[in-house]
Amino acid sequence: MVGISFALMLAKRCVNMRVLLLESKPKAYKWRNGESTFDSRTTALSYKSGLILKDIDVWNLLKQELAEIDSIHVSNLGYFGVTRINSSDVNVEALGYVAENHRLHAILARKLAQSNISSRFSSRIARVELHETSLELTLEDAGSTISTQLLIIADGAGSATAKKVGIHSRLIDHHQSAIVANLTLGKQHRGAAFERFINDGSIALLPMSPFQGKDRASLVWIQSNDEANAIMRADDASFLARLQAQFGFRAGLFRTVGVRRSYGLATSEAEEQTRRRIVLLGNAAHSLHPIAGQGFNLALRDAECLSSCISEASDNGTDHSSMVVLENYIDSRRFDQQRVLDFTKFLPKLFATDCYPLEVGRNGALLLMEISQPLRRAFARFGMGL
Ligand SMILES: Cc1cc2nc3c(=O)[nH]c(=O)nc-3n(C[C@H](O)[C@H](O)[C@H](O)COP(=O)(O)OP(=O)(O)OC[C@H]3O[C@@H](n4cnc5c(N)ncnc54)[C@H](O)[C@@H]3O)c2cc1C
């Protein structure tokens, strides 16, 4: 999703630039039991991501399939401190939006097909050689070669292409898994999103657009690996009972659960994001703990900044792949990347600890935020990517 989004930004800003997208998977992804094998997850898009997707003309197609997030409710199992953040706190019509990944991907792919971007599917880079004025890429399929001024690596966490050029990632294994599933609810969600911290993890519930007239919610249930394995093995009725016991009834009764998937969680940060004629984007650059739903949003902001640095250089007649341009990009992005990385590393630790002063402190922080509008507004603006 990051690679295509970036290619669309570049094609829009630099109309004369030739852009080629290489994807290792085949062009068409298959459907099984009405569910996309591409990705059954949803993505909480921040307000800022909405603006970026508008800019690449994806929004009009996506908007009718989105659910709006009008409020966010944060709580901690076993404590009375809660915080509610409403769109009215920041005077916007929605704090964010929820998109189904397979729909978002399908729309991005449609825009790609309509653009002047060339693409090659079932294609991987086998070797990268740096020359004075270009990079030479040898592809695995039939050993064909491509010459390019700039290579953007957006092939996901643990990037195989980055490794080929000797860029490695620092990895933190959280020993946790995220169980993802869609639920039908006994009452209307009215745009409410929930984040509930529980022993050793968290439960996020995001509003989804209705399906066959029923309100749905997307669940991301994070637990230790052992606990997650046990939850995955439970039948639907026990799964829902266990979830309801941990989450409570704020969103009503959980009626049914769809296909469950489990994702092992790790944070990875590439040791370098830019090198001569090379930039890493998306999960290849930084893959985050999904606790606050920030990974794709952060990557879109990176991609927007990079495409703007490249287009500015091209307009000024400067070499857009020079280290000056790429360093300017990374300098502009350092602050935002660091604060989001720190936040997503700190939050799971803060709520996982059973150290008494910290337990009291975080409960107090939720209460403080509930009564302080400036604090709520600051927190909302952070989540909105502003
Ligand atoms: C449970 C969960 C929930 C999440 N929820 C949110 C959320 O609510 N909001 C949010 O902002 N983020 C969320 N994220 C994070 C978000 O999903 C990621 O940040 C995002 O998917 C990263 O996209 P990407 O394109 O960089 O990487 P990927 O999605 O991994 O895509 C990489 C692409 O590269 C291709 N590829 C792989 N190897 C090669 C190769 N050698 N050559 C060519 N192509 C290759 C792959 O086929 C794939 O198409 C969540 C993550 C998880 C795990």
Side-chain angles (χ1 to χ4, degrees):
M1 297 196 303
V2 175
I4 303 182
S5 306
F6 175 73
L8 290 173
M9 289 176 204
L10 211 53
K12 176 136 196 208
R13 286 173 192 252
C14 309
V15 280
N16 295 322
M17 194 172 281
R18 289 176 65 202
V19 182
L20 170 67
L21 186 120
L22 295 174
E23 164 61 50
S24 60
K25 291 208 187 95
K27 187 168 186 176
Y29 52 88
K30 296 186 189 76
W31 292 79
R32 215 189 290 138
N33 302 331
E35 194 205 8
S36 164
T37 54
F38 165 72
D39 197 334
S40 55
R41 285 174 295 175
T42 56
T43 295
L45 295 168
S46 70
Y47 177 83
K48 170 74 182 171
S49 293
L51 299 179
I52 296 175
L53 293 172
K54 265 182 203 143
D55 210 39
I56 50 171
D57 308 321
V58 165
W59 197 248
N60 275 349
L61 294 170
L62 190 61
K63 151 169 113 190
Q64 55 243 23
E65 317 213 6
L66 296 172
E68 289 187 352
I69 301 177
D70 295 319
S71 64
I72 302 173
H73 185 286
V74 187
S75 62
N76 192 3
L77 177 68
Y79 292 88
F80 59 88
V82 294
T83 291
R84 275 163 290 237
I85 300 164
N86 295 304
S87 46
S88 56
D89 286 326
V90 264
N91 295 323
V92 286
E93 62 181 33
L95 292 166
Y97 310 87
V98 182
E100 291 177 65
N101 283 16
H102 71 96
R103 294 303 306 145
L104 174 56
H105 181 264
I107 290 170
L108 287 169
R110 196 185 324 164
K111 292 301 290 182
L112 178 74
Q114 291 164 355
S115 74
N116 59 359
I117 301 163
S118 313
S119 41
R120 280 172 82 149
F121 291 84
S122 305
S123 185
R124 274 194 191 84
I125 294 171
R127 207 173 59 238
V128 181
E129 273 175 82
L130 177 67
H131 297 296
E132 192 49 38
T133 55
S134 67
L135 282 175
E136 189 164 277
L137 315 177
T138 307
L139 302 187
E140 277 180 7
D141 45 324
S144 53
T145 57
I146 293 166
S147 179
T148 183
Q149 271 183 284
L150 185 61
L151 171 67
I152 310 296
I153 301 179
D155 57 355
S159 166
T161 315
K163 280 184 197 136
K164 288 206 160 81
V165 296
I167 300 180
H168 296 277
S169 293
R170 288 181 289 270
L171 194 81
I172 304 171
D173 186 344
H174 295 291
H175 304 291
Q176 286 182 319
S177 299
I179 299 167
V180 176
N182 296 339
L183 307 170
T184 53
L185 304 175
K187 69 175 195 186
Q188 286 186 322
H189 55 58
R190 297 181 197 281
F194 297 88
E195 181 84 55
R196 182 157 177 78
F197 294 95
I198 55 175
N199 294 339
D200 221 5
S202 60
I203 298 173
L205 209 62
L206 298 171
M208 288 176 78
S209 55
F211 182 69
Q212 296 178 341
K214 289 190 191 125
D215 253 20
R216 295 177 300 162
S218 162
L219 167 76
V220 182
W221 186 355
I222 297 175
Q223 288 277 244
S224 65
N225 287 336
D226 288 346
E227 193 68 15
N229 288 339
I231 294 169
M232 283 299 281
R233 282 195 301 270
D235 60 32
D236 283 1
S238 336
F239 176 89
L240 288 172
R242 206 161 166 165
L243 177 65
Q244 198 89 60
Q246 299 269 305
F247 186 84
F249 288 86
R250 286 186 176 90
L253 194 69
F254 299 135
R255 289 206 183 281
T256 56
V257 56
V259 178
R260 293 174 236 160
R261 299 222 183 283
S262 176
Y263 297 82
L265 300 183
T267 298
S268 73
E269 284 172 69
E271 284 167 356
E272 293 164 77
Q273 287 185 40
T274 54
R275 202 182 253 198
R276 201 157 166 228
R277 302 193 178 285
I278 293 175
V279 183
L280 271 60
L281 267 190
N283 273 8
H286 39 65
S287 157
L288 313 180
H289 192 290
I291 190 145
Q294 292 286 327
F296 183 61
N297 291 307
L298 179 66
L300 274 188
R301 301 202 289 278
D302 289 343
E304 187 201 36
C305 177
L306 180 61
S307 65
S308 131
C309 290
I310 291 175
S311 98
E312 234 171 74
S314 302
D315 291 348
N316 296 337
T318 343
D319 175 6
H320 63 262
S321 57
S322 73
M323 270 325 278
V324 178
V325 174
L326 304 186
E327 270 165 13
N328 180 24
Y329 154 70
I330 206 68
D331 286 347
S332 314
R333 294 301 304 145
R334 199 161 278 129
F335 173 73
D336 190 19
Q337 286 189 2
Q338 202 53 55
R339 71 181 188 141
V340 174
L341 270 160
D342 288 348
F343 182 73
T344 53
K345 276 192 236 167
F346 168 72
L347 205 59
K349 279 193 201 136
L350 176 68
F351 280 90
T353 178
D354 49 10
C355 156
Y356 185 68
L358 272 178
E359 279 182 10
V360 173
R362 71 194 179 210
N363 195 42
L366 288 179
L367 281 172
L368 187 65
M369 199 136 80
E370 177 66 1
I371 55 171
S372 160
Q373 207 202 26
L375 259 182
R376 284 204 308 279
R377 196 177 289 153
F379 190 74
R381 287 182 62 81
F382 172 80
M384 289 161 76
L386 297 174

